Structure formats: structure tokens, C-alpha cells
Amino acid sequence: MKIQLQNLTKKFPNRNKKAQGDVIAVDHFTYEIPDGKLIGLLGPSGCGKSTTLNLICGLEKPTEGQIFFGDRDVTKLPPEHRGVGMVFQNYALYPHLSVKQNILFPLENFKGEQKLSKSEMLERASQAAGLVQIEDLMDRKPSELSGGQQQRVAIARALVKMPHVLLLDEPLSNLDARLRLQTREEIRKIQRATQITTVFVTHDQEEAMSISDEIVVMKQGVVQQIGKPQEVYDDPVNLFVAKFLGTPPINIFHGKVQNGRLTIGKAAVLPVSGIPDQEVWAGVRPEGFLLQEDGPLSCSLNGVEVMGRDISIVSTHPDCENTLIRAIAGSENGVNTASETVRFALKPGKVFLFDKNNGERIREA
Amino acid sequence: MKIQLQNLTKKFPNRNKKAQGDVIAVDHFTYEIPDGKLIGLLGPSGCGKSTTLNLICGLEKPTEGQIFFGDRDVTKLPPEHRGVGMVFQNYALYPHLSVKQNILFPLENFKGEQKLSKSEMLERASQAAGLVQIEDLMDRKPSELSGGQQQRVAIARALVKMPHVLLLDEPLSNLDARLRLQTREEIRKIQRATQITTVFVTHDQEEAMSISDEIVVMKQGVVQQIGKPQEVYDDPVNLFVAKFLGTPPINIFHGKVQNGRLTIGKAAVLPVSGIPDQEVWAGVRPEGFLLQEDGPLSCSLNGVEVMGRDISIVSTHPDCENTLIRAIAGSENGVNTASETVRFALKPGKVFLFDKNNGERIREA
Amino acid sequence: KGGQKSFSIPEQLDTSRQYEITFWAKNDTNKTQTDIYKKAITDFQTLYPNITVNLRLYTDYGKIYNDVITNIATDTTPNVCITYPDHIATYLTGNSTVVPLDGLITDPRYGLGGSELLFDSPRQDEIIEQFLEECSLNGQIYALPFMRSTESCYINKTYVEKLGYTLPDTLTWDFIWEVSEAATAKDADGNYLINGQSVMIPFIYKSTDNMMIQMLKQKDAGYASANGEIQLFNDTTTQLLYTIAEHAKSGAFSTFKISSYPANFLNAGQCIFAIDSTAGATWMGTNAPLSDISEEAFVDFETEVMMIPQFDPEHPRMISQGPSVCVFNKKDPQEVLASWLFTQYLLTNEVQIAYSETEGYVPVTSKAQDSPAYQDYLSRCGEDNALHYDVKIKASRLLLDHVDDTFVTPVFNGSASLRSASGQLVEEVTKAVRRKKEVNAAFINDLYDDVASLYHLNESSPASAGKADLGPLPPTAIALLSCLAGAWVLILAYIIRQAMKKLRKT
Amino acid sequence: MKNDNSFSGSGKAWLYLLPAFLFLGVFMIYPLIDVFIYSFEEGYNFASQTSFGTGGYNYSYVLHDPYFLQAVKNTFLLVLITVPVSTGLALLISVALSSVKPLRDLFQTIYFLPYVTNTLAVGLVFMVLFKKTAYSDGLVNLLIHWFGGSSVDFIDGPYWAKMTVLCLYTIWVVMPFKILILTSALASVNQNYYRAAQVDGTSKLRIFTRITLPMISPMLFYLVITGFIGAFKAYSDAVALFGTDLNAAGMNTIVGYVYDMLYGSSGGYPSYASAAAILLFAIVLTITCINLLISRKHVHYI
Amino acid sequence: MGVTMDYRQIEKSEKRHRRITHTLVYILLIFWALVVLFPFYWMLLTSVKSYGSYNAERVPAFWPISPTLQNYADAFTTVPLAGYLLNTLIFTLATTAIMLVVITLAAYAFARLSFRGKNIAFTLLLSLMMIPNELVIITNYATVTNLDMRNTFLGLILPSVTSVFYIYLLKENFELVPDELYRAAKADGTSDFKYLWKVMIPICKPTLVTITILKMIECWNSYVWPRLVTDDPSFYLVSNGIQEIRENGFGRENIPAMMAAVVVISVPLILLFLVFRKKIMEGVSRGGTKG
Ligand SMILES: Nc1ncnc2c1ncn2[C@@H]1O[C@H](COP(=O)(O)OP(=O)(O)OP(=O)(O)O)[C@@H](O)[C@H]1O
Ligand SMILES: Nc1ncnc2c1ncn2[C@@H]1O[C@H](COP(=O)(O)OP(=O)(O)OP(=O)(O)O)[C@@H](O)[C@H]1O
Ligand SMILES: [Mg+2]
Ligand SMILES: [Mg+2]
């Protein structure tokens, strides 16, 4: 089922004595979520992701705007009739029910033709429990589970009823890498197989990018960019999106375009075409640095961090916004940690220029 | 302050009707946490990480074993006298207090010489709030915060009192990448500056490895390996540790050692020395694959995933335990996605052999 | 076993020390009674500045009794209290609770009319003998009478005559029943012929205790012996109950407990014969100074006050009732002496006359009765409808004239219960016919059993009587006990099972 | 850091309990012991403070006394009728109350009013409403007439009529407390669970039975236990309606029986009163124990 | 899942459903409101009737024919009601304050601390609820007398400063506070007492306010005990006043005067309730914690 959000806005009354006006949690969000796709919702903490999910599932009433499921306006439909499944950021497991009862709970709500026999229910429940590997915990109460286990129960509970629309609010935040990967792939697999339209909130951009069909980047309630993950990564529309995606984050330099060249400090680091002379923000992805003995960008070396398969070269530069510049290189690259400076060349496709005033992207002609 | 754990064991009564015996959440954990270090506690969901923290801070009484802070046995000391700071996995903010009051709360507990004046307290609180960027939210109640904002308040609350021992249970799980990185660096900085002995639970091995002085890998309550992060990554003691560390995870092949060579399927992929002929598990790190037109290991290519700065080559092999083999290469590497197979050579330092029976590491002579 | 030591009077009232004494009094029908108590206290305190009297008012003798009982156990009894002789009998079961007054009364200096008194108290022979007699138990005097009254019948003479009867000199039961029956005739609309109203209860008795007691006395039938043997349940009683039932059935008779104050009905023209205490006389009649009902409801009629109905008009019998005062024992004899002085003060003419003028009460001393002030009061009968309200003064006269025809019931520990029981018989029978139940021998039998056990008449004095053989447990009790036992067996079984489970687990 | 192991655990807890136990000890337990002793002293007399022996005669007497048995029967009936009815009704009203917004405050205030007033006064009003006099049948009978019934004397009439009034009055009196407790219990249920259940498509009824009820079960259970105990201790309600002579009215309760025995004429029968009281204590204790055992299964603490 | 859903239909039936339940709910609420209010109306009505017209009323009237405020005037003049009110205020405030401390400590011990014999102690405590007041009052009277506390505020107050009912109620509420907060507070270095004071009490404030008000009302209306231990009018409470007014007027039960007194005495309580209603009804918010 495709979901249309039209001008969706949600305001909360403010409490902050100093600030005034409402907290605008979601601000005129318009977007058509294609049928059967998995959408990743990304953004910094407090940008309105959970609120958006709450609006879609009907737990919050929008201050403005409409929501359509398919062609039908569901803006005023109470949540229990929307047929959505949801994993809450805080799990919201029923504390008085065992894990099994928690998972069975949505199934027991089915009415009419949908109604399942007891054994079918159990079957479905244990299947869902299997997906997230909690078969051993079926008789425990939520309070006797670890954080990750609780989260897995919440996922099983959302999946078990095979909803029309699946909303996942940071469903994997408490899982370890392996389980996270596994679960995320299970979710992806189920989603692909059942074509349930899914919205997946995560702060982990790698996660978002690897499983989403499209990602939506939000900031303070306002959508910044929507697109295929790699497109957004490779072609951010503004400084915020560029900064937001990528770990380690993009490195931002004070730069100048002078005579068709980007200069950082005194060094002309990259030729750019079709951009009038002006001050700019220059963003360089960590993998945009090439270790080069005679590279134009000279930074003072702080150290090298090893991160499993890669090394991260940590350095500083007076014109860099980031306190530390991180450049990623394969761990086979040797860096002389004794030396004081390190010199880089920049890969053109990994460098983006942004307007100094509003942070909008400046594209080469 | 150094912390000594001696034979620390915690059992919970079991609820599972089928299984019997207690749940052993922590099993004879002995370890001396060096003074002023930051220790990362890693392990799959439910392995006993939170329980270990609870034992250290005194919220749970150990079933067995002892805990020393410095030279003092604190096993029976109630938590409020241990002088620890803790961030809970579920935040545990006081719902009736505003953010500011939540952060001030631990300071108000100070007695005697430690006691602070009102203005000092406010100073400290706003400093702590600044670290996690929640200055704007000081007057809100926890229920009016997003998940990530709540988590940040919890961190501020733990840091504000400058405890002797800092315990952090997945403190960053709900933060976006940028904030996560920032906060983790702030924590690291504070820890370095104040030399507070810190235990940091995280499921994110990258996080653990990048900020920990030492990491502890646990499995079902039992410690598997303790050591410097890179050492553990580069030299896992068993299959579990090897599998647990690294994203994407290590790729495990059914292998054989024959005549000093490791063979996978029919192909002899790597020379090994000093290992008697036997069946083994061969683990290859994703970055251990070298794209080579004539490499010995031939896999059927499934696709290529782009993950920002890297590409991940997804393939399958009949002798591989993992459903999918993931090999990581720089995104500058071109892969012919039209071709059906892809051939790899293996980097020797990235391949580990394990006993087929118990998963213990088999080392070359 | 309780016994009362006789009290030895101190040589001299110690005026150097302050004494505080508590006086528990009852004010029943009239606000001015409170003022009279208060005035008496102020006057007394001016005479004896070192004695302070704390007044505590009750509206119910029963409450005083309950509180005294409670306070006997904690040794915090009041010093002086208004009471019924019945109650004193119970107080006496305690050790040295109530001071026997014989010694005090006769003491030449502080006794009645004693030389050291600062006020004019009556001599012993100036107290009406019968009244003082009522206050003696086992040969000793334990109280002084304070006021006396009796019952009288307040009659709507107009209606009696309208029905074609003339009042005899002395009322008889037969006459009352007959007139009452006659008054129950109704017209076609269901209104009573006699008053044209929808309500008419020709005969209402306020205190059914007294009704039964007086009827029995008039018939010379058994009620109780002096030593506490109960004779209430006899054939005469049964006979009387049958009569009462018969008239209750026709609607000719009702009681206060079932209907309401007789005065309200009488004044509204809804009752012809209202029998109530003379102490309630100010409420009775067309011109009653006190009334529960509003002006509009009053009906004009001629009110007659007569002696209660008799079986033998030649030898009328009526009850004597009214509060007495007793003194409680204290450690300090001086305190007791102070209490005694105050008690005596209540018998002075001022107090006696003032109080008796509030209602149809009669002073208990001849000194007061014969005093010019009181005689003047009596003689001005009907001068106004307030202080000299004729019905009230007539009611007082009734007792003054018939002191010799009064009687009191024997007093023993439990006599109060017996009184209640005799009233209860009348109430129950009346209620039963209203509920259309048959009043027959079986009913009466059950009634006697019920009432006897209700008032514990079978074991009037638990301290002296031993255990009775109670026979086998009734089935309900057995059911109750076995339920309890069964429940505990189950609970214990459950707990043990739980414990076993836990044991097995570890 | 100061180590004060010695002061943790039991010691501290008992310190917290000390004031309560002190007061309870002096004003509840000590009198109870007193009563217990009385109950075995045969024929104890308050005034003289003497008895004629010790033994079980008091119990035997009380168990033989038809008025006691009547009181037991009345009390049981009262408990069995009023506790479930009032708790159920209070639950219904509280749920209704929390499901509406407009006028909620007004209703809440109104419902609490009975708690504030003197029960004696309200008892009188009830009596006026139900009593049949020579003049009028009373308001309730008027209503019964309207619906075509014939009038009943509720105050002096047949047993069931009196019991009905007593039950109605008792329910009326206990409702405000129950509504108060239940509405605040309902309000304190974490909204998150409702949200989760709603998203799961749960019907209102099921949310009520599966989420709300278990969540408020501790409070509900509190009301049941205290309701039982309260109803077993009923006395003043009956007095307000039927006057002090409850035995005669056949409407006595166990506590009323105890009270009458204590203060009855002839100096009271404290030993019988004590025996009856101890029996009452045993009955209520039993029922509370059963309640507690049941609650272990059905009450959910979070 | 291929179930087509007609949202318009659902929305419509939902709306109708809601309207029906709303109507039913309001009918129920109004019905009960009437049941509750009627006796009050009756009380007010009676209180403005004169003694005579009340007694003359054969068939109860639903409307005052000639209302009078005389009864209210009487309430203040026939007995020193103002003085009684002051006594009652002192008694009520003191009793409630002490009780709050005592029961909070006890409830906390039962709800949060673990100690040997807790279950037994609690069952014992519960069983104390079963002792009817009528039973212990005589012994208590003896105790208070022996302590020489008759006619003192102490004697009035002390026996009612504990209430098992409220300990139980509070304990149940304390137990609803999530365990995590206790753990967090402990880790923050908070002592048990401080946790009780700074976390438990604020979170359970609605219950505490409820208990306070219930207890105040109880004290305000308490009658049997105050009457027993005081025979000095300078210690009388308003309930004694009601009784006096009821009996004083004409010796017989002066119901209208008594009703007026009851109304006068109830007004402070009703005001109290109105002022604190919001606080009482405030739900315990447990926002900040998961699960
Ligand atoms: N109160 C309890 N009763 C029974 N079992 C418990 C209880 N608390 C924890 N456990 C179990 O103990 C084990 C360890 O729990 P713990 O919370 O320490 O895990 P963890 O390592 O923190 O996991 P996560 O990363 O998912 O939070 C788990 O299997 C959990 O289910
Ligand atoms: N009930 C509320 N009252 C006031 N403000 C609120 C309320 N709920 C949320 N907010 C604010 O609205 C904004 C958006 O909140 P939301 O929960 O949607 O964030 P989020 O994107 O889910 O963040 P996170 O990743 O930290 O969970 C935040 O600034 C939050 O503080
Ligand atoms: Mg969120
Ligand atoms: Mg955990």
C-alpha cells in the first residue's frame, strides 16, 4: 500500500521558559511512500522521526496536513483500524504478559475471516520469535530480559501480524553487530517477500543506506533530501545532509573558489569549473583523501586509529571546521606516525562545495 | 581507582518451563580493571553485560565472588556509597523532574566537603548538558523528549558528579552517527582528563574498539577474551570472538589443512605452517579478500553493495557457513556485476583457523 | 465481687485547696433546663469558691450509663451524675464505685440540713419518702432523687365527646379501647370520619415499657421479684398482648417507636388519647408552648389531662419515674465531700422549683413542694400558655395528688433490661399485626423466647450466675465453624504445596 | 566513603517501620491481646473487673446465641452483596468517567461528595426516602408505585426489604472512595501500553480486559480486600437506618453484636463481646488470607 | 495481506459507535450523579426548613415552601461552633501530619526495602485492619487515661496517627513506581531516605494528597473517640457540635438544625476537595522510563 503524506505538520506546546512558540516536531512533510518499499528515516536526535511514525500510525493527530493509505484519507482513522505494525523506540512491551503472550497479543485481535486458530497463532508466534532468536525466552516477563532481548520481542510483536504497513522506530539500536545485521536482513527479506510498505527509523546511516530503497533525511522537522541511499550520499543537497551522512563524518574546510580552483588556506587543492569566485564550505569525505607524499593539502598528523579493516588517519588543519580531520585508508597503507605532517590529495567526486551563507550545495557547471 | 572482579557470578531463577536450572547471567568473571582506563564490554544481546555493570555498581548482589574498588572489598557495600556514575540502558530518568533537575539530582546527594553551592551545581549541570547538547531542553520533562534526547540527559546525569567509577550501558544506542561520534569523543576526553575508571557497554564493536583501552568479549556470561582492541580483532582466541568482532562479520569456511595448505573446497587457498592435517573452520575477514582475476577462491557473485566510501562484494560459496560472503573493497575497485563469478586471493594475516570441535583457535607454529 | 465500703466523712471541708468536680447531667425536653443547671452551678460556686463544677450534658440516660461503665474500668468516673436507680445497680458491681449516702445524709454537719452547710438544704424528712425509698438498694441509699414525674393521658376531649362519649372520673382501659375503636371509622374516600383527615391513630402510647409494667401492676400480675427473679412472661401478659394486638390490628392503637411522638398526632387532631410522661406536658395540647409541628397543622380542641387508664379505678396505680443523682467514690475524701455538697445543693428549693417548672415535673422535697413560690406557681395554672401552661401544671398536680398511688419496679442488676423487654413485647406485637401476622399462642411463645434472649433475661447477672448448659451447637454455628476450619485446611495445604515446589526447585 | 554495612538491610527497614509499629502496638495490638484474654474469662464484669473462671464458655455462648448467628448471616449477606456490586459499579463509573472529557471534573467532584458528609445525616435522608409512615409511603415506594409495584415498608418491613436498604445505603456510602481510587489508578496507567495496543488493532473491550485490568489490578485488589474488611466491620450504617436496637430489628451485624454486648444493659458482657470479636477476627482473617493467595496469581506488579 | 478495508465505512461506524457509547456513558454518569446528589439536595432542603414545618410535613416536600436561614444562624449561636472548628482544625492537621510521616515510612519499608519477615509482618499488618474500632476503644481509653491524656490534644491525636488502610494503599502505589528509578537513584548515590523524599513522594504525590484529604475528612468527622476522651468543652470537635445542635434545640432531634450544621461543617471539606481535586486526580506519570 502506498502512503501519502501531505503537508504533515505536528506542533507541541513549548515548555522552555526562554524560547517561545511551539515545538514544531514535523514541519510540512509531503512525500509519497511508494507501495512495497522500505524507506529509511534518518536525522539527528529530536528531528521528528518518531513523531512522523506516530502520525502515520495515528497515535498523534496531525496539527495540519493529511495522510492517505492508498487512496483513502486515514487522517482521522483511529490507530486500531489502520492495520499497521510498529516497534516503539521504548519497546512498550506489556509488563504483565510473558514474552509469548506479548507476541500473541496482536494475533488475538484478529476478527472475522482473519481470525486464527490457537495453533496457527502459536505457530506464527514461534516463527516470529525464531526470526529474532528469542525462542528460549518465551515464558519470561519483560522485566527479566536484557535490553536487546526486549527489543527483539518488540520486533517479533510487530512482525507477527503481517501488517499492511510496518513502522520501525530504531528497532535495532540495542543489538550487537551480528544480530543487528542478521535481524536487519531478516526484516529486509520479509519486507521484500511480503511487500509490506515499511518505514524504518534509524540513526545508523550505514544501516539506513544498506537496507532502504529510499532514505529521507530530516532536520528539525523539515525534510532535507529524499532519494536512493547512494545518491544522497554521493550528491547531498546541502551541508547538513553532507555532514549527516557518513561515518566518520565529512570534513568541512573553509575554502575559496578562485579562478576555477578550490583553495584551502593557501593551497589550491582542486580545480572546479563554472563556479564564480566566492567563499565556500568545502566538504571532503574521509575516503576522499589520498595519502600522497606531495599532496597539496598538508595537515598536522595527530595519530592513526585502527578500526578493524581500515585505518583512520587523524590530523588537524587550521582551516578545517572539524576539530579533527579523519581520513580513511586501507590498513595496508603505512603512515609514519613519527612524522608531524601528512599530505593528501583530494578525489574530485568526494569533494562538495556549499554556500557559506545558507549551506546550499554549489554545483559545478 | 582500579576495580577487581573475583569469580563474580550472578544467577537468576529460571522461568522457562522446559529448561531447568538457573539462568547464569555472569559466570565466574575474574578481571582486574586497571586504574583510569576505559574498558569496553562487548557481547551479544543477553550475554550478561548489563548484569556485570549492575554487579559493579551494587544494584545486584553477586551470587558468588567479590568486587574490590582499589583494595577495599565493596561486595556488600550498598550502591549509594560506591560513588559510581551510571547510564542505564533504559535511561531511568526521573519522570517528575525536569531535565535540569534530573541532572542536578546526583549533585544534591553530595555531603560534607563534597557539598557544592547552588551556583556551582548549576555551573556543573549546564556544563554536563553542554557536552551532550541539551542546553535547550533543560526545562522539559522526560516525557517530552525524543528517545535520543532522553539518552543524552542520562549521560549528562552520570557525568555531572565526576564519579570514581563510570559505568555506561549502551549510552549512545539512540544517537545519530554524528552525535554519537561527538559524544563518544567527549566521553573519551573527559575520561582521559579525569582518569575515571570507566566501563563502557556497547554492541557496536567499532565503537568499542575505537575508544576502549581494553575490550572484554563475553558470551553467555563467560568472558571469552580480554585485550587491546586491535589485538583482539587481529588475534581472536576462538571462533566466537572472531565471528563477533567486525562488520560485516568474518566469513567462515569449512576448510581442511592438508600438507601445510589450507584448502577450501578443492582449492588450496593459503599455505599454513606447523598445523597437522585436520578439518578446520577457516575465518576470513571481509577485508581479507583481494580481488584477483586468477585468485584461488572462486565464488558466485550476487551483487555489489555500496556503503559510502567502500563497496561490499556479495557472493556465495558452497563451503561457506555464511549464507553470503561479504568482501570489502575500496569503491574505486570496479567489479563486473554482469559476470557470474568473482575470484579472490586471501591475505594471510586476515585468515584464522579454528578447531572444528570446540571452536578454539589453531595457531601456526 | 463488688462491694461498697461506707464512706467516712472528713472532719472539715478543706477550703484551702481547689477542687474540680464533674457533673454529668441530662437535659431532656427543654433548653431552659440547661440554664437551670448552669445557674445552680454558678450559685454553688459563689458559695464554695474553691469548688469548680464541670457540667457535661447528655440527652440520653443510656449514654450516661455507657460512659459511666467505661469510666469505671479506668477509674475516671464523674463525681456526680444523674442516673436511674436501675443503672446504679450495675455500677455497684464495681468496687467502691458509688458512695453509699446513708452516713452522709445523717451527718450532723455536712448531712442533709447540716450545720456547716452554706445553703438551705432540706432535711431528710423533707424528702418525699417514696422517692427516697426508690434510691435505696440492698438497704442502703445510693442516690438522692432529683425530680419525679409519672405518666398521664392527654386527651382530645372534643373528639371524645363528638364520638358520643363522656370522660369518666378515672379512665379505664376498656373505655379507651372502646372510644379508640369507635374513632377508626372511615368515610368512603378513606378519610376518618372523626377528623376528616387521612390519618387518625386514636391511641398512642409513648413508653411501651411503662405501659406493660403499669398494666401488670394494676392487674397485680407478676413482673419481677425484689431479688431479680423474672416473672414477666406470664398468662396475664399474654392476655394483655392479645388485647393490644387486637386493637393494633384495627388501627386503634400504635406506639411512639412505630409512629412518632404522640404530641404531634394529638396536636394535629390525629390522636385522641396520648399517653406520655408528665415531663413532656409542655408539648401537649392545642396551646402547647413547645411543638414539633408547624402552626398550620394545629387543630383546636379541648385538652384534658387524666391519670393513665386503670383496670381497677378504685385503686389506681401509676409509675413513678425520674432522675436521681449519685455520687462516685474518689480517693480524696475531700473531693467526695465537695461532690456531696453539690448533690445536696440540687435539692435546694431554688433548683428544685426552677427545674420542676420547666416541665410537668414535681419537686422531690416537701420543702419545695410546700414553699409559697411553688404553691403560687401551681395556683396560677392556665394564666398563660408559657410558664403557667395549664396542661403542664395539671400534669404536675396529677403526681402531687397521687404520690401514694405510685409505685416503682424492683431494682437489681438487669432490671433495666427487663424494662426494655416488657416494652419490646408490646412493640413486637403491634408491629406483627401491622405486618399482617397472626398473633397466636405460637407467636407469643416465640416472642417470649426471642425477647428473653435479646435482653439476656436468662442470665441477668453474669457475675453471679454460673454457666448454663447450652446444649448442642445450632446448625448455623456448626456450618460457620466448619467453613472456617475447611478454609484453613485448604490454605495450609496450598501453602505447603507452594513451599514444597520451591524446595524441589532449589 | 564510609562503610556502614551494619546499618543496611533489616535494621534499616525496621527503623522505618518503628513509628507505625509503635503506635499500632499500643493502640491496636495491645487492645487486641486484651480482648483475646477477655474472651476466655468467663463472665467478666467491667465494673468489678472480675470473672468467674477461664475457658471456652464465652465462645460456646456466642455460638449458641441466635442473635449472633443472625448477625453473622446479615454480615455475610451484606459483604457478599455490597463488595462485588460496589466494586463493579465503581469500576464501571470510573471507566466511564475516564472515557469522557467534558464535565468530567464536575462529575468527579459530585461523586466524591458522599465522602465528605456526615454519614448520620445521610442515613437519616435514606430513612426518609424509604420509610413508610402513617402519612406517606416514602419516595421510593412512590417510584415503585409508578412502575406498578406495591409498596413495601423498607425500614420496618420484611427482612429482604430491610437488607435491600442496608445494601443500597452501604454501597452509596462506599462508592466515593472506590471511584476515587479507581479513577486515579486508571489515570496512572502508562499511556505507552495503550498506544502499543491500539496500534496492534486491539478493540476497546480487549484493551480494557487485557491491559487496563491487569495494570490496575493491585488497586482493584486493594479495594476488594479493604471492601471485605470494611463490610465485615459494618455497624454504623445499620444504626443510621434502623436505630440502635439492631437485634430487635433483626438487622444486627457482627460488630453491632459486639457493641451491644459491650454496652448492653446490665453492665455489658465484655467476655461475650470479646469472644464474638475474636470470631469476627477469625472470619475476616480467613477471608483475607484467601484473598491474598488469590491475588498472588492475579495481581500484576510492574 | 489482501484484505481490502473500507476506511470510510470504518470511520463512519466508528463514529456512530462512539456516539452511542458516549450517550450511554453520559446516561450512566448522570444517573449516578443524581443518586449521589439527591441526599445532598435533601439535606440542603431540610436545612432551610423550620423545625415546625419539617415536623408538620406529612408527605415530604421537594421544594422549600418558606425557606429560612434560621437554622444556620442557630448553628453558630447555640453552640460555640467557631471554637469547635478551631479545635477540629488543630486536631485534623496534627493527626494528618503525623500520620503521613508514619505511614510513608512504613509503606516505603514494605514497598522497597527487603528484610527478613517482611511477608509475615505485612500479613500481620493487614490483619490489623480487621480489628473493629469498637473493640479496641475501651482499652485505648484506659491506656490514654493511664497516660493522663484525657482532655488533651495528644490523647485525641495519638490513637489515630496510624492507619493500616493507608499504609496498604500507599505501599501499593509505591510499588507501581518503576524499579529502574530506584536503581538509578542508588547509582547516583542517593540514600534510601532521600530517594523516598525526592523521588517516591513526588511521584506518588497524587496518592499522598488523596490520603491526606481522606484522612482529614475522617478526622473532621470523627466522633466516637473525641467524645469519649474529652469532657471539657474546650476540646470539643465539630462532630460533638453536630450532636449538640441536633439534641440541644428542643431536646428532641432537631433534624433541620442538624442538617444545617452538617452543611456548615461539610463546606470546608468540600472546598478542600475542590482545591485539590486536580492534584488528587493527577495520574502518576511514568514517562521517562522504558517498558
Ligand atoms: N531479573 C531477571 N530474571 C531472570 N533473568 C534475567 C533477569 N535479568 C536478566 N536476566 C537474564 O540474564 C541474561 C543477561 O542479561 P543482561 O541484561 O546482563 O544482558 P546484556 O548483556 O545487557 O544484554 P543486552 O545487550 O541485550 O542488553 C539474559 O539472558 C537475561 O535474559
Ligand atoms: N510531548 C511532547 N511535548 C513537547 N515536545 C515534544 C513532545 N514529544 C516530542 N517532542 C519534541 O519534538 C521533537 C521531535 O521528537 P521525536 O521524538 O519525533 O524525535 P526523534 O526524531 O524520534 O528523535 P530520537 O532519534 O532522539 O528519538 C523533539 O525536539 C522533542 O523534544
Ligand atoms: Mg525517536
Ligand atoms: Mg543490557
Side-chain angles (χ1 to χ4, degrees), chain C residues 70-349:
Chain C
T70 314
N71 280 284
I72 287 175
T74 54
D75 216 6
T76 47
T77 47
N79 295 79
V80 182
C81 109
I82 295 262
T83 182
Y84 278 153
D86 284 328
H87 295 159
I88 297 179
T90 309
Y91 305 158
L92 286 180
T93 53
N95 282 315
S96 310
T97 39
V98 186
V99 182
L101 299 178
D102 305 74
L104 281 164
I105 289 173
T106 52
D107 186 70
R109 290 169 333 134
Y110 292 106
L112 286 174
S115 55
E116 298 285 310
L117 295 179
L118 302 181
F119 50 88
D120 185 17
S121 105
R123 296 186 311 277
Q124 181 171 8
D125 58 8
E126 280 174 331
I127 299 180
I128 310 287
E129 205 189 321
Q130 284 91 336
F131 297 163
L132 189 58
E133 189 55 30
E134 291 166 18
C135 298
S136 74
L137 274 107
N138 317 324
Q140 279 196 305
I141 298 175
Y142 283 104
L144 289 182
F146 174 56
M147 281 290 137
R148 279 298 175 266
S149 66
T150 184
E151 282 190 326
S152 63
C153 186
Y154 305 89
I155 304 166
N156 183 331
K157 192 174 175 189
T158 314
Y159 283 179
V160 174
E161 284 166 0
K162 198 171 159 191
L163 286 167
Y165 294 92
T166 25
L167 288 170
D169 290 341
T170 307
L171 280 178
T172 64
W173 287 99
D174 291 336
F175 177 78
I176 284 196
W177 291 136
E178 189 181 337
V179 177
S180 299
E181 286 297 339
T184 57
K186 289 189 193 174
D187 66 12
D189 303 337
N191 287 335
Y192 288 90
L193 286 171
I194 179 72
N195 61 358
Q197 301 187 37
S198 59
V199 177
M200 178 53 158
I201 307 171
F203 180 20
I204 303 179
Y205 214 117
K206 164 82 191 298
S207 159
T208 43
D209 314 1
N210 284 341
M211 180 182 184
M212 182 51 82
I213 290 170
Q214 291 176 111
M215 280 174 126
L216 288 173
K217 188 77 179 180
Q218 291 171 7
K219 286 241 174 198
D220 228 356
Y223 170 71
S225 71
N227 55 18
E229 189 196 327
I230 288 161
Q231 302 156 346
L232 173 64
F233 305 112
N234 56 45
D235 293 344
T236 318
T237 312
T238 312
Q239 231 37 65
L240 290 172
L241 289 177
Y242 281 140
T243 318
I244 290 168
E246 180 193 325
H247 296 295
K249 196 185 234 161
S250 62
F253 170 76
S254 184
T255 72
F256 157 71
K257 274 194 186 156
I258 291 167
S259 299
S260 182
Y261 286 102
N264 295 356
F265 290 86
L266 180 77
N267 298 354
Q270 293 164 340
C271 173
I272 301 177
F273 304 101
I275 300 188
D276 199 344
S277 165
T278 56
T282 41
W283 300 81
M284 296 291 181
T286 317
N287 300 315
L290 290 180
S291 179
D292 276 344
I293 63 172
S294 62
E295 284 301 319
E296 309 89 67
F298 271 83
V299 165
D300 257 328
F301 60 90
E302 192 185 331
T303 318
E304 186 64 79
V305 185
M306 295 186 77
M307 202 198 300
I308 56 155
Q310 303 289 333
F311 286 110
D312 177 5
E314 301 305 309
H315 301 99
R317 306 293 285 156
M318 58 178 124
I319 200 156
S320 161
Q321 56 183 19
S324 303
V325 202
C326 69
V327 178
F328 286 92
N329 215 341
K330 297 285 149 180
K331 282 197 192 72
D332 183 358
Q334 288 287 344
E335 198 181 326
V336 178
L337 180 58
S339 317
W340 163 243
L341 290 179
F342 180 69
T343 310
Q344 256 189 87
Y345 188 76
L346 293 175
L347 293 194
T348 55
N349 280 2

Side-chain angles (χ1 to χ4, degrees), chain C residues 22 24 27-31 34 54-59 63 67 70-71 73-76 206 261 263-265 268 270 276 280 283 290-294 296-297, chain E residues 50-58 74 78 137-139 141-143 145-146 150 223 226-233 236 240 243 247-253:
Chain C
T22 331
W24 289 1
N27 65 319
D28 46 3
T29 55
N30 203 308
K31 257 191 254 198
T34 317
N54 289 323
L55 173 69
R56 181 174 186 181
L57 284 171
Y58 287 82
T59 44
K63 285 254 174 61
D67 280 6
T70 314
N71 280 284
T74 54
D75 216 6
T76 47
K206 164 82 191 298
Y261 286 102
N264 295 356
F265 290 86
Q270 293 164 340
D276 199 344
W283 300 81
L290 290 180
S291 179
D292 276 344
I293 63 172
S294 62
E296 309 89 67
Chain E
S50 69
Y51 181 69
S53 62
Y54 173 78
N55 282 294
E57 235 174 55
R58 303 312 189 192
D74 285 349
T78 52
I137 208 160
I138 292 188
T139 315
Y141 182 59
T143 311
T145 309
N146 292 337
R150 286 174 74 224
Y223 173 66
R227 193 189 142 83
L228 196 62
V229 284
T230 57
D231 48 20
D232 180 350
Y236 277 3
N240 296 64
Q243 208 62 21
E247 292 166 348
N248 219 359
F250 296 88
R252 295 190 182 162
E253 286 187 341

Side-chain angles (χ1 to χ4, degrees), chain B residues 279-292:
Chain B
E279 299 229 322
V280 292
W281 292 115
V284 184
R285 292 266 179 226
E287 68 274 20
F289 294 94
L290 274 173
L291 268 176
Q292 242 176 26

Side-chain angles (χ1 to χ4, degrees), chain E residues 126-154:
Chain E
L126 279 192
S127 66
L128 288 187
M129 280 201 290
M130 300 152 210
I131 304 173
N133 220 19
E134 283 79 4
L135 198 66
V136 296
I137 208 160
I138 292 188
T139 315
N140 282 349
Y141 182 59
T143 311
V144 165
T145 309
N146 292 337
L147 294 174
D148 208 12
M149 293 197 296
R150 286 174 74 224
N151 285 325
T152 62
F153 274 114
L154 266 188

Side-chain angles (χ1 to χ4, degrees), chain D residues 28-36 278 281, chain E residues 128 131 135-136:
Chain D
M28 284 286 239
I29 298 171
Y30 163 63
L32 186 68
I33 294 170
D34 231 25
V35 167
F36 193 72
I278 295 293
F281 187 72
Chain E
L128 288 187
I131 304 173
L135 198 66
V136 296

Side-chain angles (χ1 to χ4, degrees), chain E residues 162-182:
Chain E
T162 34
S163 162
V164 182
F165 272 90
Y166 296 143
I167 292 180
Y168 183 20
L169 178 64
L170 201 55
K171 174 208 163 235
E172 296 294 286
N173 263 277
F174 279 171
E175 265 168 8
L176 293 180
V177 176
D179 220 21
E180 278 92 53
L181 296 186
Y182 184 59

